[in-house]
Amino acid sequence: CVKMNVIFGFQEVEELVKNGYQPLAANANEAQQAAFRDLKKKDGKAQFLIHQRVDSANFEKISGARSAKEAWDILNNAHGGGDKVKKVKLQSLRRQYEL
């Protein structure tokens, strides 16, 4: 997570990965369309960076993600993001140790 945040910061996509982006309005003007294209391009770059750093098991989890934010949220939740996940992992490890 720390390494990826550094890479995101260097590639100037950190804010996009954390907050995502809004869809383009139907009546958008030329400037808004250009800004949206730029955001989509940055989102693609961020998705590429995430895909390059994950193993095949984690890639299967995020392969259906439509944006970098969605993929990043899936990975955060899967790897210690929530207290429930930590508790389940601890129970699993405890059970393995007992067996």
Side-chain angles (χ1 to χ4, degrees):
C1 183
V2 173
K3 289 179 182 180
M4 286 304 297
N5 283 328
V6 170
I7 292 171
F8 291 150
F10 176 73
Q11 294 292 331
E12 299 175 351
V13 294
E14 184 176 16
E15 199 66 32
L16 182 67
V17 171
K18 290 184 179 180
N19 300 326
Y21 61 92
Q22 299 297 322
L24 185 63
N27 57 351
N29 61 28
E30 189 72 27
Q32 290 171 330
Q33 289 176 357
F36 182 75
R37 280 192 301 271
D38 185 47
L39 284 176
K40 286 288 286 182
K41 189 175 181 179
K42 283 186 176 184
D43 186 67
K45 180 193 284 189
Q47 281 183 311
F48 174 75
L49 293 170
I50 292 170
H51 289 173
Q52 290 294 308
R53 298 294 300 173
V54 297
D55 59 356
S56 59
N58 285 314
F59 181 76
E60 288 181 24
K61 293 177 186 175
I62 64 169
S63 63
R66 311 281 286 164
S67 69
K69 178 180 177 14
E70 186 179 347
W72 190 244
D73 289 344
I74 291 169
L75 289 173
N76 272 336
N77 288 336
H79 293 285
D83 291 332
K84 246 183 178 179
V85 172
K86 290 178 186 177
K87 189 174 182 178
V88 169
K89 285 183 180 180
L90 181 60
Q91 289 173 347
S92 174
L93 290 172
R94 189 175 295 140
R95 179 71 177 143
Q96 287 177 357
Y97 176 75
E98 289 171 357
L99 291 175

